[in-house]
Amino acid sequence: AFLRNLRNMVQSGIDESTIRAYAATLDVSKVLPFRYLAAARIVPQFEDMLEAMMFKSLETHEKLPGKTVLLVDVSGSMFGAKVSAKSDLDRFDAAAALAILCREICEEVEIYSFSRGAVRVAPRRGFALVEAIRDSQSHHGTYLGRSMAEINKGTQYDRVIVFTDEQSSDRVPAPKGKGYVINVASYQNGINSGAYTTITGMSEAVIDFIQMSEKTGW
């Protein structure tokens, strides 16, 4: 509720120091990066406060063991298309928010963007990671197959997590470890298992699902 009402507080003339002091008292343990990204877009003057709150909320999150490769779609179709009619976030925002989450909770992580190919991204934290992913390459076609082939050839990993709208232009090779595709476009809802476990329908619980499925061997 605090994040949703930040703009109203500012417009009502509440002093910035009062807002910041109150923010420091909040329990943010269950608030995930989507909320902070949306709030920072509306009230950018509080971006530093929001980022600090976001990091605090992720401190106690259970770690995802081993090495994880994150592959974030930056093709043209990821930008400008909202994840839902009521959301302020587009597909890229949703993917980037999940990447922020994974950056904090993965024991070891490599981050790539993909469009015409895979590009390694500096493992920055928080809002800086969103910019690093977005600006890593031009936003053209969706060549997930080519990108996965490059990653399979160049790195070892326990799992790969792909954030995409699944508009791939080529055939995707099987992962060398566990493989997950998170479809942020919400064409349909469900979970499908094949070479990759594909989770369609945007949810803040997708990483919890991955952790639980690996623990239980589901």
Side-chain angles (χ1 to χ4, degrees):
F2 172 79
L3 295 179
R4 288 195 299 270
N5 284 289
L6 266 177
R7 177 166 54 188
N8 292 336
M9 295 179 201
V10 172
Q11 292 175 342
S12 298
I14 297 176
D15 186 73
E16 183 173 321
S17 61
T18 301
I19 294 173
R20 290 177 177 271
Y22 181 72
T25 69
L26 295 174
D27 178 5
V28 294
S29 59
K30 295 183 180 180
V31 184
L32 293 178
F34 301 92
R35 311 303 181 192
Y36 300 106
L37 282 177
R41 181 162 297 169
I42 295 170
V43 282
Q45 65 268 39
F46 288 110
E47 183 175 294
D48 60 326
M49 177 192 78
L50 292 166
E51 186 171 61
M53 293 172 68
M54 179 173 63
F55 288 144
K56 181 180 178 182
S57 71
L58 297 174
E59 284 177 351
T60 59
H61 200 291
E62 183 180 357
K63 295 295 183 181
L64 196 57
K67 182 174 180 178
T68 304
V69 168
L70 306 180
L71 195 53
V72 183
D73 189 346
V74 294
S75 62
S77 60
M78 292 288 287
F79 296 88
K82 301 300 183 182
V83 294
S84 72
K86 297 182 179 179
S87 178
D88 293 326
L89 303 179
D90 65 14
R91 295 170 185 174
F92 174 75
D93 292 327
L98 287 170
I100 289 174
L101 169 60
C102 290
R103 167 66 180 85
E104 296 303 308
I105 70 169
C106 292
E107 283 186 346
E108 183 180 359
V109 65
E110 287 186 12
I111 305 170
Y112 296 81
S113 68
F114 77 94
S115 181
R116 289 187 174 178
V119 174
R120 182 91 178 259
V121 175
R124 296 173 183 165
R125 301 180 66 207
F127 298 141
L129 179 59
V130 178
E131 295 180 6
I133 296 171
R134 184 187 61 226
D135 299 339
S136 60
Q137 61 176 298
S138 56
H139 309 151
H140 292 295
T142 313
Y143 290 92
L144 177 55
R146 179 189 302 169
S147 302
M148 272 305 306
E150 293 171 5
I151 289 170
N152 281 345
K153 183 178 180 181
T155 188
Q156 297 292 325
Y157 55 85
D158 294 292
R159 71 186 62 77
V160 59
I161 305 175
V162 182
F163 305 110
T164 180
D165 59 4
E166 286 197 284
Q167 296 188 25
S168 184
S169 302
D170 55 357
R171 185 172 181 177
V172 182
K176 293 194 299 185
K178 294 181 175 66
Y180 304 93
V181 173
I182 312 302
N183 186 328
V184 295
S186 299
Y187 299 122
Q188 58 183 347
N189 295 316
I191 299 172
N192 306 304
S193 295
Y196 295 81
T197 297
T198 302
I199 306 172
T200 57
M202 189 56 202
S203 170
E204 295 178 339
V206 292
I207 305 304
D208 292 332
F209 167 79
I210 290 172
Q211 289 174 314
M212 183 175 295
S213 65
E214 290 190 4
K215 281 182 179 180
T216 61
W218 179 79

